[in-house]
Amino acid sequence: QSYFFSFNTPTWYLSTQFALYLLFPLLIRNFRRNWPLKLLGAALLVLVCIWGASGLELFSVKTISGQGLLYVSPLCRGLEFVLGMAGGLLFSGKVAAYQPSRRTATVAEVLALMLAVAAMAAGSPVSAWLGQLPGYGKALGFYMGFAGLSLLPFFLLIQIFALGRGWVSRVLALPLFGWLGGISFGIYMLHILLLHYYLYPVALRPHTPHPPAEKILLYWVMLLMAAYCSQRFVETPIKNGLGSFLKRWREKTPGQLTTEPEPLAQEPSAG
């Protein structure tokens, strides 16, 4: 695991996402016409990765492992990325024009949430069952447990909630949840550091005493404050600077950029 995971474990996500963003100009080219082919290609790459991972140790601290190939590698996580692009294309082309009633939209949101939760809950037992099968079972079970079962339920969830027509999405649009959404990336990137070196200072070893409630509360306060500072003083200035640079670049190169809307890419989950 140390082969892929650094001092701050979640930083694997940055390198994987960076690789996918480098591929984005190639993926977006003629995407409206050839998205089925690119989605099929990404799915085939997942099958190749499962085949490759079946010949490796699933977990290893010294070399490339099945976990690294399936969970970390952009070759395998590209399916989520391309599926997100296809979702953006579908929403902008057809779904956004659909205007269901408040009641219908609320029922759809609740059902989509239940389906997503059920997919996550089924991940471990399905993974364990598949892991007992010979050959590719262990690698397939590992992939299905952290991503495979959840792909389509979360694709549907994003499409429905993007409409913003139901009561659940209206509640989630409140300023508090908007603020939490804004700092969510910082929470993800910083939570392991605080978890290992403050809440469980022995790096989550077995038999570590459970921390008292006040220490858990202080952990969340520090995590939220750190995530906010990360967004306010790191993420936002970088985003604004990039936006200004791209605006100036567009003004200097009129007519050289495509006018085709770019579908949104779905980021790979961290599992």
Side-chain angles (χ1 to χ4, degrees):
Q1 292 175 345
S2 59
Y3 191 86
F4 296 100
F5 303 128
S6 65
F7 172 73
N8 185 19
T9 306
T11 51
W12 70 264
Y13 173 87
L14 295 178
S15 57
T16 301
Q17 196 68 10
F18 187 70
L20 293 171
Y21 284 147
L22 287 177
L23 289 173
F24 184 73
L26 297 176
L27 292 172
I28 198 64
R29 185 173 178 82
N30 299 321
F31 193 75
R32 289 183 181 275
R33 292 189 292 273
N34 59 23
W35 68 265
L37 185 62
K38 289 174 178 174
L39 192 60
L40 176 62
L44 290 176
L45 269 178
V46 170
L47 295 180
V48 170
C49 289
I50 291 173
W51 170 77
S54 66
L56 301 171
E57 291 185 46
L58 190 55
F59 301 100
S60 174
V61 298
K62 296 181 180 179
T63 184
I64 296 176
S65 63
Q67 180 192 33
L69 189 58
L70 296 173
Y71 188 81
V72 176
S73 171
L75 292 175
C76 193
R77 304 310 291 254
L79 177 58
E80 297 154 74
F81 193 81
V82 177
L83 184 62
M85 293 171 62
L89 188 62
L90 175 65
F91 184 83
S92 62
K94 294 183 179 180
V95 177
Y98 180 53
Q99 298 294 314
S101 66
R102 184 79 66 204
R103 177 181 297 179
T104 300
T106 301
V107 171
E109 289 173 355
V110 171
L111 291 176
L113 274 174
M114 292 174 63
L115 181 61
V117 171
M120 290 189 293
S124 292
V126 169
S127 178
W129 177 75
L130 289 173
Q132 299 174 1
L133 302 178
Y136 309 122
K138 188 173 292 187
L140 177 62
F142 180 70
Y143 176 76
M144 295 300 290
F146 76 82
L149 282 180
S150 302
L151 272 177
L152 293 181
F154 274 92
F155 178 86
L156 179 64
L157 182 78
I158 292 170
Q159 295 290 317
I160 292 173
F161 273 76
L163 287 172
R165 298 282 298 177
W167 283 111
V168 181
S169 58
R170 286 177 66 88
V171 170
L172 293 177
L174 293 174
L176 172 62
F177 294 107
W179 178 76
L180 288 173
I183 66 172
S184 60
F185 181 74
I187 291 175
Y188 170 66
M189 293 303 300
L190 299 171
H191 77 285
I192 287 291
L193 285 176
L194 283 174
L195 191 67
H196 281 187
Y197 302 105
Y198 168 72
L199 198 58
Y200 293 97
V202 200
L204 298 179
R205 293 174 187 169
H207 313 300
T208 302
H210 192 71
E214 59 270 20
K215 194 170 185 179
I216 296 176
L217 177 62
L218 186 56
Y219 164 82
W220 278 104
V221 171
M222 291 192 298
L223 180 58
L224 291 175
M225 290 177 61
Y228 169 75
C229 290
S230 173
Q231 185 215 27
R232 176 68 177 82
F233 300 109
V234 180
E235 297 172 42
T236 300
I238 292 175
K239 182 177 67 175
N240 291 342
L242 262 177
S244 300
F245 170 78
L246 289 174
K247 183 179 179 181
R248 291 194 301 270
W249 181 63
R250 289 191 182 102
E251 291 171 350
K252 292 179 180 179
T253 56
Q256 296 183 21
L257 300 178
T258 177
T259 57
E260 182 182 18
E262 296 181 350
L264 299 176
Q266 178 178 328
E267 297 181 353
S269 71

